[in-house]
């Protein structure tokens, strides 16, 4: 599908920009001000919407669980991630 065939709205551009800023490490307060949000909670919606940000956060806290397996170590495929997340 080409870009011309997609329905792109101004809000789509705002949302995409906010996600890329978050992934680049820009803090929520700066993004909130830039987007003109009246509340920081509105900006936090972008973090809840992005699975990559969730994975990055988990990698920082539990790197041994989500990191790719190293040679000579047990494969992460033996770990049931869903069960592990339910125990958090």
């Amino acid at each position: 599908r080409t870009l011309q065939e997609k329905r792109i709205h101004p809000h789509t551009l705002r949302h995409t920009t906010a996600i890329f800023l978050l992934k680049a490490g820009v803090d929520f307060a700066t993004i909130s001000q830039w987007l003109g949000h009246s509340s920081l909670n509105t900006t936090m919606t972008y973090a809840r919407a992005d699975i990559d940000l969730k994975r990055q956060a988990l990698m920082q806290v539990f790197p041994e669980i989500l990191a790719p397996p190293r040679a000579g170590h047990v494969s992460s495929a033996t770990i049931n991630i869903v069960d592990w997340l339910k125990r958090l």
Side-chain angles (χ1 to χ4, degrees):
R1 225 174 148 181
T2 66
L3 188 58
Q4 188 175 12
E5 296 169 336
K6 294 182 180 182
R7 292 178 52 137
I8 298 178
H9 301 280
H11 185 76
T12 304
L13 297 174
R14 284 174 54 88
H15 178 80
T16 302
T17 301
I19 292 294
F20 278 109
L21 289 170
L22 282 171
K23 287 183 177 184
V26 177
D27 63 283
F28 286 103
T30 301
I31 295 170
S32 182
Q33 291 286 320
W34 186 75
L35 293 175
H37 289 160
S38 59
S39 166
L40 196 56
N41 289 335
T42 305
T43 310
M44 297 295 282
T45 306
Y46 294 107
R48 287 192 291 269
D50 189 76
I51 192 70
D52 290 335
L53 290 173
K54 293 174 184 178
R55 178 173 281 283
Q56 287 175 358
L58 287 172
M59 283 288 290
Q60 289 178 11
V61 179
F62 305 105
E64 69 284 351
I65 298 297
L66 297 174
R70 294 179 297 177
H73 289 81
V74 176
S75 169
S76 62
T78 61
I79 299 170
N80 185 328
I81 298 294
V82 174
D83 289 339
W84 178 81
L85 288 171
K86 286 179 182 177
R87 291 192 308 261
L88 289 179

